[in-house]
Amino acid sequence: MTALSKRTALSKKLSTATSAMVALLLITSCSSSPAAAPDSSNQSEPTVQEEEKAPASGPSSPADVQSEETAEDESSEQQISIPWLTDETVGEPVAPVVETALVTGMRLAEHDDFDRIVIDLQGDTSVGWTTRWTDNPVEEGRGEPLVISGNEFLDIAITGTRIPETDEDWSLVYDDFSAKATGEISAIYDGTYEGRSHVVIGMTQKAPYRIFQLSNPSRVVIDIQRVG
């Protein structure tokens, strides 16, 4: 073999060996390198609020909550040890009056042996009252006749109350001055005048009654015993 032929054959061998080594290095590098993690720089993780969204609903005002209840939800007769009355009476506040109350509702319901009227008040404050019998109920202040059914009427003035003064008061105040009826009675709320909220209860004849205040939330309860 000539010198030229030898050089050519050696060059081919070296070229082949170099190619093989390069290929081997590439294979080894690919098999030993860890897989690259996906780029998450542009991916936003959901927040807790996004994962656990609460239903969209606004809070109910006290007036809304009370309007959904009835006087049947109040304490039963067995839980109350208030005496029944037949005469007119004056009820003094059971605690010092810290602030005047706002009437926010009137509810009526039938019970087994009596009918109940509940006057809802804003604020857990103590109030008083006076009661009297009349056969001619009239509006507080104006003196105009009240349109309410019955032959005998229990006239009640809840003291320590006030008229609405703020926008919030106006949104809560009870302003339904129409007569309501349940069982054997009818009742009407005549509004508040000079610190007295006026309620009249009509019935066919005089009947024993009881009146008291409950708290949390504050309300005045009037029960009229059935005598028929």
Side-chain angles (χ1 to χ4, degrees), residues 26 36 51 130 150 154 196 202 212 226:
L26 288 174
E51 293 176 346
T130 61
L154 184 63
R196 295 154 51 96
F212 51 94
R226 293 183 184 163

Side-chain angles (χ1 to χ4, degrees), residues 135-148:
D135 57 4
N136 183 33
V138 296
E139 295 180 4
E140 193 82 6
R142 295 200 309 166
E144 296 293 328
L146 283 173
V147 180
I148 180 174

Side-chain angles (χ1 to χ4, degrees), residues 62 65-80 104-112 114-121 210 212-223:
V65 173
Q66 291 171 344
S67 66
E68 295 172 358
E69 299 174 350
T70 68
E72 294 176 353
D73 299 322
E74 303 298 334
S75 302
S76 66
E77 184 177 10
Q78 290 75 21
Q79 296 173 304
I80 298 170
T104 59
M106 181 177 77
R107 298 175 280 138
L108 283 72
E110 297 181 49
H111 288 256
D112 292 339
F114 60 91
D115 296 304
R116 172 164 290 179
I117 303 96
V118 177
I119 307 300
D120 294 307
L121 304 173
R210 61 187 178 188
F212 51 94
Q213 183 178 5
L214 297 175
S215 60
N216 297 319
S218 180
R219 66 261 194 215
V220 173
V221 180
I222 308 108
D223 292 337

Side-chain angles (χ1 to χ4, degrees), residues 2 9 19 23 37 52 54 61 68 75 88 92 109 118 122 127 159 162 164 166 168 171 175 179 199 209 214 220:
T2 64
S19 299
E52 301 177 2
S61 69
E68 295 172 358
S75 302
E88 300 175 351
E92 297 293 340
V118 177
Q122 182 199 34
V127 298
T159 59
R162 62 184 173 86
T166 65
E168 181 182 5
S171 69
D175 57 0
V199 178
Y209 69 95
L214 297 175
V220 173

Side-chain angles (χ1 to χ4, degrees), residues 36-56:
D39 182 11
S40 59
S41 60
N42 296 325
Q43 295 179 0
S44 60
E45 296 184 1
T47 63
V48 173
Q49 289 80 5
E50 291 173 339
E51 293 176 346
E52 301 177 2
K53 288 185 179 179

Side-chain angles (χ1 to χ4, degrees), residues 15-30:
S15 177
T16 302
T18 301
S19 299
M21 290 181 63
V22 170
L24 180 60
L25 288 173
L26 288 174
I27 293 173
T28 304
S29 174
C30 292

